[in-house]
Amino acid sequence: MICVIRIAGETGLNYKVKETLNRLRIRKKYSCIVLEKPNAQQLGMIKMVSDFVAYGDINESTYKELIEKRGKKVNGKLKPFFRLHPPRKGIDSKKHFGESNKGVLGNNKEKINDLVLRML
């Protein structure tokens, strides 16, 4: 499962990037989606917006806690996205994860679990 969290806001975004974020259903800052079995199109969309989101592999226990604390039902169905709080203790840097140990953007691999838990 891949968890995608939008970090960047609306200001100054390219139209294609903005449209891709809308199609992924992460329209506002600190919105989150979880893709259980991502297909090739979804992976391509994540790659396109990787400069504006943090993503990585989420484990089962974090996913259950996310649903328990932030999941809402609308008309008997679970909403396809989660609204999260800003991370506790803040974001050290909005650089890419690979550039420094402090960066949050891009592929965070397993560290996305820590970020999600700080945002619940």
Side-chain angles (χ1 to χ4, degrees):
M1 288 188 293
I2 295 178
C3 178
V4 183
I5 303 170
R6 182 171 177 173
I7 302 296
E10 292 267 330
T11 308
L13 287 183
N14 183 350
Y15 173 76
K16 286 186 175 183
V17 171
K18 195 180 279 190
E19 183 64 27
T20 305
L21 289 168
N22 284 337
R23 289 179 185 211
L24 283 171
R25 299 179 311 270
I26 44 179
R27 294 174 179 90
K28 294 185 178 184
K29 194 173 180 179
Y30 303 129
S31 296
C32 168
I33 60 166
V34 177
L35 303 171
E36 292 185 16
K37 295 179 183 175
N39 56 30
Q41 289 82 11
Q42 290 170 329
L43 292 175
M45 287 193 284
I46 292 171
K47 184 177 179 182
M48 183 177 181
V49 298
S50 65
D51 293 341
F52 308 98
V53 299
Y55 65 95
D57 297 324
I58 189 169
N59 58 30
E60 284 291 327
S61 62
T62 306
Y63 183 53
K64 285 180 183 177
E65 193 169 343
L66 180 66
I67 290 175
E68 187 178 296
K69 289 190 177 181
R70 303 303 279 166
K72 292 185 179 179
K73 289 195 174 187
V74 176
N75 297 331
K77 294 183 179 179
L78 191 66
K79 282 175 88 172
F81 62 91
F82 305 96
R83 292 281 292 140
L84 301 174
H85 295 287
R88 287 179 186 85
K89 299 183 182 176
I91 295 174
D92 294 331
S93 171
K94 288 190 178 179
K95 292 183 179 179
H96 278 273
F97 183 71
E99 292 177 10
S100 67
N101 292 335
K102 295 182 180 181
V104 72
L105 295 176
N107 191 355
N108 284 269
K109 299 179 177 104
E110 294 295 324
K111 293 204 174 203
I112 196 75
N113 295 307
D114 299 333
L115 182 62
V116 169
L117 291 175
R118 285 179 26 213
M119 295 176 86
L120 288 178

